[in-house]
Amino acid sequence: MICAWKQLLSVLPQEISTQVDPLGREELQELRLRVNAPPEMITGSGSVWLRGVVRQEEVNYIVNAASRYSPWCAATAAQGYITAPGGHRIGICGDAVSCGDDRTGSFQNIRSLSIRVARDYPGISGKIPAVGESVLILGAPGWGKSTLLRDLARNIANERIVCVVDERGELFPEGIARGKRMDVLSGFSKSRGLEMLLRTMGPEYIAMDEITAEEDCASVIRAANCGVRLIATAHASSMRDFEIRNLYRELINWNVFSVIVLLRKDKSYQIERVKS
């Protein structure tokens, strides 16, 4: 297991980092910080409440340290998250300033943070058949979809050309190993990034995390019709859960994915082949 732990600690105030370090180095999955409430550590075995309460200035410190005052990070913050060094995702909640048309321009006050720890587990995808296949990984939030996707894409990229649409900069941040034939595009939406890679990079495979919108599905179908293999994830706790969602109906109708990987809560998985 590989984790950019020092990078995570570097964005935390000292009063919080000194408690998190010994308790969460091996098991921390998520750190939740709410102004005027105790810090909450979430591990595989449950929640741990830390001493003290979170102050507004500590939340501000984390946001500034994680974003490093980057304009690109400021843009993603308007979407409700920041990707910290090491690929750790920081979800943001608070008082938003609207630009109209239901779009968020910025946050006036950030009162809660949900810090999801990025961990890399090389080799966990070894049982998944991927050569010549399009693979969809299904699982509920927190079950390890992105971690499995990362390792699968990296393994394929040792032999085939794999282009990654890394919208949030989480899949392959600095320090995470890549396959030798991998190209990573960060900072673009999945649909736009996928179209760019198709036009410019000649991929054999395209990997993308979290198909969550109709435009994502449409872009995936276009790529499949161009002969490109896809490696992707989607939110669903079972095959049945996936099949009944209207969002994914066209993916099923077009038989985009030939292999489905069903994750379980304990991070194990089973593999199903899709009948054409």
Side-chain angles (χ1 to χ4, degrees), residues 13 15-16 34-37 53-61 110-111:
E15 291 184 20
I16 296 175
R34 306 170 180 95
V35 173
N36 296 326
V53 297
V54 178
R55 303 188 305 274
Q56 182 65 61
E57 54 265 33
E58 291 177 314
V59 168
N60 296 342
Y61 174 91
I110 298 174
R111 303 184 185 280

Side-chain angles (χ1 to χ4, degrees), residues 94-114:
D95 302 326
V97 178
S98 175
C99 288
D101 298 326
D102 202 31
R103 293 182 296 117
T104 301
S106 62
F107 277 87
Q108 186 174 30
N109 293 300
I110 298 174
R111 303 184 185 280
S112 299
L113 301 176
S114 173

Side-chain angles (χ1 to χ4, degrees), residues 249-267:
R249 187 157 296 159
E250 287 301 301
L251 296 179
I252 297 171
N253 291 341
W254 282 90
N255 288 319
V256 171
F257 296 98
S258 53
V259 174
I260 305 292
V261 179
L262 300 171
L263 273 166
R264 304 183 183 96
K265 190 174 183 179
D266 64 0
K267 306 295 193 296

Side-chain angles (χ1 to χ4, degrees), residues 7-58:
Q7 286 91 327
L8 174 65
L9 294 179
S10 72
V11 305
L12 299 178
Q14 186 174 6
E15 291 184 20
I16 296 175
S17 66
T18 54
Q19 295 185 71
V20 168
D21 189 19
L23 296 174
R25 180 179 289 267
E26 300 299 327
E27 295 189 356
L28 181 63
Q29 297 177 354
E30 192 173 355
L31 178 64
R32 287 187 170 268
L33 305 173
R34 306 170 180 95
V35 173
N36 296 326
E40 180 184 12
M41 284 179 41
I42 298 175
T43 69
S45 55
S47 294
V48 177
W49 296 96
L50 303 182
R51 300 186 306 273
V53 297
V54 178
R55 303 188 305 274
Q56 182 65 61
E57 54 265 33
E58 291 177 314

Side-chain angles (χ1 to χ4, degrees), residues 14 32 37 75 78 82 88 96 120-121 127 130 138 146 156 179 193 196 228 243 252 274:
Q14 186 174 6
R32 287 187 170 268
I82 295 172
H88 309 289
D120 188 25
Y121 293 85
K127 297 180 180 179
L138 301 180
S146 301
I156 296 172
M196 292 177 63
V228 177
E243 291 172 341
I252 297 171
V274 178

Side-chain angles (χ1 to χ4, degrees), residues 131 153-162 179-181 204:
V131 176
R154 177 170 52 211
N155 286 344
I156 296 172
N158 286 325
E159 302 294 335
R160 309 291 178 126
I161 298 173
V162 177
K180 61 184 178 183
R181 304 189 75 189
E204 295 177 81

Side-chain angles (χ1 to χ4, degrees), residues 239-254:
M239 194 64 194
R240 174 61 178 163
D241 187 20
F242 175 71
E243 291 172 341
I244 63 175
R245 298 194 185 196
N246 290 333
L247 172 65
Y248 302 130
R249 187 157 296 159
E250 287 301 301
L251 296 179
I252 297 171
N253 291 341
W254 282 90

